[in-house]
Amino acid sequence: MARQDSNTSSGSTVINVPLNQKRHGVLESEPEIPIVSYLGPISSYTHQVYTLVQFTTPAWIISLTDFDLAQAALQCFDSDRYDYKPATTIPDVFEAVQSGEAALGVVPFENSTNGAVIFTLELLADRHASFPDITVCGEAYLDVSHCLLGRKARNSNDSSELSGTSTGTATPTSSMPSPGKPRTSPVYSIQHIKRIYTHPQAFGQCENFLQAYLKGVERIDVSSTSRAAEMVKEDTSRESAAIASSLAATVHGLDVLAQGIEDREDNTTRFFIIRKGVDERAKDTRNPTKSLISFTVDHRSPGALADVLDCFRRAKLNLTSINSRPTKVVPFQYIFFVEFEGSRLKDPDGRVEEALSGLEEHTQSWRWLGSWDDKLIKL
Ligand SMILES: O=C(O)C(=O)C[C@]1(C(=O)O)C=C[C@@H](O)C=C1
C-alpha cells in the first residue's frame, strides 16, 4: 500500500498565503505585502519572469528577446502588490516559501533546448521532507535569448577587430563528430576571453557557439546568469565573460560581445510558481490545467512503472512530461515525476481522482505536487 505524504491527503489542506511583510514605516492597520522569492540577483531570467508576469497577466507567454521589452520589465515592477526578494540559489527559494518568509517563489523547471532543471527536480524530490507543504500553483514560459557579456579587448571598436577570430566552424571530434552550426558570430573580438561564467543550464543551451568560438576556454558554473554578469563586472582583467541576458548587460554596464548565442531560436524556459499549501481559487479555474506527482515503485517488480502509467491511460489523462532522479537510497533506483493534463482541485468528471487512487496500489509512495493553469499555447 502506498504512503501518501502528509500534505497531500485529499488535497484539501489550505494554508493561507503568509502576508508577513509590512510596507516601510506604515501603520499596523495597513495591508501587508506578500514577498515573491526568485533566483537573483536582479536581471536573472527568473527575475524577468516575475517582473512581466506580475501574477495577474492572463497570458504568461512573454518574450524578452526584444531589448526594449527587457528594459520595460524592470519598470513595470508592481511594487504595490508584491515585494520581490532575490535568493542566491534555487534551494533558497524553496526555503523562503516553506518557512513562510515568501508567499510565492519562482523557479526554472525545464528548458526546450537543454531539458529538465535538475536543481529544481532535486528539491521537488524532497527526500528528507524538508518542503512538505510546497506545491506548484502556476507556470510561465519565457523566450530565452543569451548574450556573451564582457569587456571589449583594449582598442577593439567594432567587428573589424574580428580578424583572426575563429571562422565559426567547430572542428569535429570523436565525442562530437558533427558539431552544430552556431546561429550567430561575435560582434567584437573575443580572443582575449580566458574564462566564461554562467548557470549550468545556460552552458547547455549555447553549445554550438561555445564549440565554434570559445573551444577549450574554461567554463565556471555559477548560481545564476545574473550572478555571472556580476562576477564579470568585478573582474578588471577583461578576460572573463558571462552568458546572460541583454538586460544583465544594461544592469551591470557590460559590453555585448555576441548576442543570440543560444543553439535554437525557439529556446524557451518553463518556470514554476511555488507556494505553501493550496490556493483555494484554483478550484474555480475555467482554464485547461496540469498537475504534477512524484512517486517511487518497487524496482524488482517487472512492469511496476508501466502499471503506474496505465492508471493515467485508463483515466484518459494525457501525460505532458516524465522525469526521474535517483532515490539516493539504493543505487540506480529512481523517484519518478509525472505531469499530466487535469487538476486535482477541479476534477468534475473524477478522472484525476480515478488515476490517483490507482497509485495507492501500484506505488511504494507518492505525492501530489500541485495543479495549476496550463499556459502552453498549443499550436
Ligand atoms: O540563471 C538564470 O538567470 C536563471 O533564471 C536560471 C535559468 C535556469 O536554470 O534554467 C533560467 C533560464 C535559462 O534557462 C537559464 C538559466
Side-chain angles (χ1 to χ4, degrees), residues 166-236:
S166 155
T167 56
T169 312
T171 318
T173 59
S174 54
S175 61
M176 210 184 268
S178 31
K181 260 189 95 54
R183 295 178 44 245
T184 188
S185 52
V187 185
Y188 298 103
S189 168
I190 53 175
Q191 285 178 301
H192 59 297
I193 300 302
K194 299 229 166 52
R195 66 198 78 83
I196 312 162
Y197 295 91
T198 200
H199 188 279
Q201 263 289 332
F203 277 127
Q205 295 164 29
C206 303
E207 268 312 327
N208 296 345
F209 181 88
L210 294 172
Q211 284 296 328
Y213 294 107
L214 292 161
K215 199 169 166 57
V217 173
E218 185 186 9
R219 298 183 188 186
I220 303 164
D221 286 353
V222 293
S223 52
S224 69
T225 57
S226 50
R227 176 68 190 130
E230 217 173 51
M231 290 170 79
V232 169
K233 180 187 175 183
E234 287 159 12
D235 179 358
T236 51

Side-chain angles (χ1 to χ4, degrees), residues 93-167:
V93 176
F94 271 69
E95 271 162 33
V97 174
Q98 177 63 41
S99 70
E101 185 198 336
L104 297 167
V106 185
V107 292
F109 180 65
E110 64 174 336
N111 173 267
S112 58
T113 310
N114 199 42
V117 178
I118 57 170
F119 309 94
T120 300
L121 281 180
E122 278 291 297
L123 294 157
L124 290 170
D126 199 18
R127 295 182 189 84
H128 305 293
S130 311
F131 308 113
D133 305 313
I134 282 191
T135 63
V136 179
C137 63
E139 66 176 9
Y141 290 81
L142 179 74
D143 287 355
V144 170
S145 183
H146 295 295
C147 299
L148 186 75
L149 308 182
R151 305 257 183 232
K152 286 184 253 180
R154 286 191 208 288
N155 307 322
S156 167
N157 290 320
D158 54 40
S159 51
S160 62
E161 297 296 324
L162 286 171
S163 58
T165 307
S166 155
T167 56

Side-chain angles (χ1 to χ4, degrees), residues 299-319:
H299 287 261
R300 292 157 308 179
S301 155
L305 177 59
D307 286 341
V308 174
L309 300 183
D310 201 44
C311 296
F312 294 93
R313 187 188 60 80
R314 278 188 274 118
K316 296 192 169 47
L317 292 173
N318 189 30
L319 304 188

Side-chain angles (χ1 to χ4, degrees), residues 4-24:
Q4 191 185 18
D5 294 25
S6 58
N7 70 319
T8 63
S9 55
S10 85
S12 59
T13 320
V14 177
I15 300 166
N16 289 329
V17 169
L19 300 173
N20 57 359
Q21 179 80 359
K22 300 274 184 202
R23 301 291 296 154
H24 325 282

